Amino acid sequence: GQQVMQIPQYQHVQEGEDFTTYCNSSTTLSNIQWYKQRPGGHPVFLIQLVKSGEVKKQKRLTFQFGEAKKNSSLHITATQTTDVGTYFCADSGGYQKVTFGTGTKLQVIP
Amino acid sequence: NAGVTQTPKFQVLKTGQSMTLQCAQDMNHEYMSWYRQDPGMGLRLIHYSVGAGITDQGEVPNGYNVSRSTTEDFPLRLLSAAPSQTSVYFCASSKTSVNTGELFFGEGSRLTVL
């Protein structure tokens, strides 16, 4: 079956440093969604990418969809303590099933 | 706005007991689903529904039953709980079924099976 892997599994950064998490799939992704889950909370939708090579920005967050639609990335510029949490990518649009990646847990050191 | 409501938030069961996790949404969403979250494994899909009367299996359906008698409710039943079902369970809904859009999650139900 489809596997959606994320690297790294954990990342500790100093506040103000940049952070990137990568999402890789064993099969072609339909659409890619990104979610953020704060500690003790529930996943919250951030964005959806649909087109090959698509790049979208939300303030300090930049999302990219690979040209072959088999990978995606989330880059955070100048991290803040409010960025702490686990970031998940998810393949949406495949036969009504949304398949989540394994997640990257971000810790920001003040 | 209530959104997606899950009950209970916490539950402790003994092996072999049965229980139902409740999920209700007030957004008139067609699509509803159940995930379990375990450390290092992300969110894994248990069951999903694209509308009232229609359910289907996800990635890890064994040991769980669902039904969708109304648009609003999507309960998850554990018939005979096992320690391997200790997890955090999330219910999620989406407005449409085709090319599912944004998932809205409930706050989660933490289940411990002794």
Side-chain angles (χ1 to χ4, degrees):
Chain A
Q2 180 190 36
Q3 289 189 341
V4 182
M5 303 299 293
Q6 282 183 252
I7 53 171
Q9 190 174 2
Y10 301 96
Q11 183 80 59
H12 291 79
V13 299
Q14 206 72 36
E15 188 173 17
E17 290 181 339
D18 292 356
F19 159 77
T20 304
T21 173
Y22 300 91
C23 177
N24 299 296
S25 174
S26 56
T27 58
T28 301
L29 299 161
S30 304
N31 306 319
I32 195 82
Q33 295 180 343
W34 285 92
Y35 291 80
K36 177 183 178 181
Q37 183 178 24
R38 294 182 187 274
H42 58 277
V44 174
F45 176 83
L46 294 176
I47 206 162
Q48 175 165 288
L49 305 175
V50 177
K51 299 177 183 176
S52 166
E54 190 171 10
V55 178
K56 286 189 176 181
K57 291 189 176 185
Q58 288 180 349
K59 297 182 180 178
R60 295 179 293 105
L61 277 61
T62 302
F63 304 84
Q64 290 189 316
F65 203 0
E67 293 289 344
K69 297 187 81 172
K70 295 188 76 172
N71 57 75
S72 180
S73 65
L74 158 60
H75 179 82
I76 302 178
T77 303
T79 54
Q80 300 175 358
T81 54
T82 53
D83 295 325
V84 164
T86 301
Y87 292 85
F88 292 98
C89 63
D91 179 24
S92 64
Y95 303 102
Q96 316 297 351
K97 296 181 183 180
V98 180
T99 301
F100 279 79
T102 46
T104 295
K105 188 173 183 178
L106 172 64
Q107 193 67 263
V108 179
I109 305 162
Chain B
N1 293 337
V4 179
T5 304
Q6 288 183 237
T7 55
K9 286 186 169 48
F10 300 94
Q11 183 73 50
V12 179
L13 290 177
K14 294 181 179 178
T15 297
Q17 286 185 318
S18 63
M19 78 155 300
T20 299
L21 299 177
Q22 302 290 345
C23 176
Q25 53 89 10
D26 62 358
M27 298 174 283
N28 200 32
H29 284 177
E30 290 182 0
Y31 184 91
M32 296 186 75
S33 55
W34 277 102
Y35 287 87
R36 61 176 288 173
Q37 184 173 31
D38 303 293
M41 302 189 74
L43 294 125
R44 292 183 292 170
L45 181 64
I46 304 171
H47 286 284
Y48 65 97
S49 169
V50 299
I54 306 169
T55 64
D56 207 343
Q57 296 181 349
E59 182 185 354
V60 287
N62 292 342
Y64 307 95
N65 280 353
V66 292
S67 60
R68 184 95 179 269
S69 56
T70 67
T71 300
E72 294 78 19
D73 301 298
F74 191 46
L76 179 72
R77 296 183 186 85
L78 284 72
L79 299 178
S80 179
S84 61
Q85 293 179 304
T86 293
S87 187
V88 180
Y89 292 84
F90 288 100
C91 178
S93 71
S94 179
K95 185 175 182 181
T96 59
S97 298
V98 176
N99 224 19
T100 50
E102 172 184 355
L103 283 173
F104 293 82
F105 283 83
E107 294 187 351
S109 299
R110 185 175 294 273
L111 175 66
T112 301
V113 182
L114 303 175

